[in-house]
């Protein structure tokens, strides 16, 4: 999985995009079960995005700090995302993302997202 992600990133960087650039992405996510607060994760990522024709892509990564409710301290891990979108038509686009978070004490975690957006 890591090899595929690196190959996709290398291909994206080697291509000549029409628009591309470096960005910073700070994101905070809070978790709840019912009304009960369960914790927070804050990602502080550096990324690169661009377009190649109808394909838009991004790759980002950096520290991810998690704090669980009612537990002292926090846990910092390395996290990253690789994603893109493809405009099938002016009104229809499809998108996808692969994400991962490191873990020294257990298996790394991975996630995927795929979807479509239709504009009226």
């Amino acid at each position: 999985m890591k090899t595929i992600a690196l190959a996709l990133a290398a291909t994206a960087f080697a291509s000549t995009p029409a628009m591309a650039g470096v960005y910073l992405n700070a994101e905070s996510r809070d978790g709840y079960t019912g009304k009960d607060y369960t914790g927070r994760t804050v990602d502080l990522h550096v990324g690169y995005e661009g377009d190649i024709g109808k394909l838009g892509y991004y790759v980002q990564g950096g520290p991810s700090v998690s704090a669980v409710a009612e537990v002292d301290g926090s846990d910092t891990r390395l996290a990253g995302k690789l994603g893109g979108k493809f405009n099938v038509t002016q009104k229809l686009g499809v998108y996808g993302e692969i994400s991962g978070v490191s873990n020294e004490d257990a298996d790394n975690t991975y996630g995927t997202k795929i979807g479509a957006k239709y504009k009226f």
Side-chain angles (χ1 to χ4, degrees), residues 53-115:
K54 292 184 176 184
L55 175 66
Y57 64 89
Y58 63 92
V59 59
Q60 69 179 51
S64 181
V65 182
S66 296
V68 178
E70 300 180 18
V71 175
D72 288 338
S74 62
D75 186 25
T76 302
R77 299 180 180 175
L78 183 61
K81 297 177 183 179
L82 172 67
K85 67 176 184 170
F86 181 78
N87 295 321
V88 179
T89 68
Q90 285 185 331
K91 294 188 173 203
L92 176 64
V94 294
Y95 60 89
E97 179 180 277
I98 299 169
S99 61
V101 179
S102 69
N103 190 340
E104 291 181 13
D105 301 325
D107 290 337
N108 295 334
T109 57
Y110 303 96
T112 60
K113 178 176 17 176
I114 189 165

Side-chain angles (χ1 to χ4, degrees), residues 3 12 17-20 24 27 41 47 62 64 69 73 83-84 90 107 110 112 117:
T3 305
M19 290 184 71
L24 298 175
E27 180 178 273
T41 299
S64 181
Q90 285 185 331
D107 290 337
Y110 303 96
T112 60
K117 182 189 284 187

